[in-house]
Amino acid sequence: TGMTWRRILAILFAVALGAGAWRAGGWRGLALLASALVLWALLYYNQIVTVMKRAADRPVGHVGSAVMLNAKLQAGQPLLKVVALTRALGERLSEVGADPETYRWRDEGGSQVTAEFKGGRLTHWQLERPAPAADDAAARGPAA
């Protein structure tokens, strides 16, 4: 399906890059391409490590504001981007290895965001806020 076509296109793109590098500079062109790919991989690895270091300092499933997280989420975001937004790993609600995966983040006020990821990409999320307590309604008085 969608992931299969992406993989095929990525392979075709890699072959085209290799052929172009070979044609432009022979072995030197391939060496330059290989070093550029290694640099890209190291930058991506560094990004992953940075996000995970920040997430390791916070409790699992905790977020500063579930409402703000809900506002920042967009369909198609990768799980790594969501972890970077929350600065915490989500509380896993689905089985290990299941697809789609479901995670939840909660804030101090009791609000929570439950997010579903299919193929590592955000497909659906829901914000749940606690119902106002009866004490709060009585303290505010009658509505005008």
Side-chain angles (χ1 to χ4, degrees):
T1 58
M3 289 302 289
T4 305
W5 284 108
R6 284 186 187 167
R7 287 184 180 152
I8 291 171
L9 287 176
I11 291 170
L12 290 176
F13 184 69
V15 168
L17 270 178
W22 176 260
R23 187 174 175 134
W27 288 110
R28 286 188 218 140
L30 285 177
L32 181 63
L33 175 63
S35 63
L37 289 174
V38 167
L39 176 65
W40 174 80
L42 287 173
L43 289 172
Y44 186 69
Y45 176 76
N46 188 36
Q47 178 187 13
I48 291 171
V49 169
T50 302
V51 168
M52 290 304 171
K53 276 184 184 177
R54 288 181 187 151
D57 295 337
R58 305 261 311 249
V60 172
H62 181 268
V63 67
S65 171
V67 175
M68 289 303 294
L69 173 61
N70 181 60
K72 292 179 181 179
L73 292 177
Q74 297 174 2
Q77 285 179 322
L79 179 57
L80 183 64
K81 170 97 181 201
V82 176
V83 170
L85 284 173
T86 62
R87 294 179 177 246
L89 297 175
E91 175 188 353
R92 181 185 290 270
L93 302 178
S94 59
E95 298 286 324
V96 175
D99 196 34
E101 298 174 295
T102 306
Y103 296 94
R104 177 175 42 214
W105 287 268
R106 299 174 192 234
D107 64 14
E108 296 294 326
S111 296
Q112 63 186 21
V113 173
T114 305
E116 187 175 286
F117 296 85
K118 186 168 176 99
R121 299 244 173 217
L122 183 63
T123 57
H124 177 74
W125 67 97
Q126 181 176 1
L127 171 68
E128 297 172 23
R129 300 176 88 173
D135 296 338
D136 292 342
R140 284 190 297 244

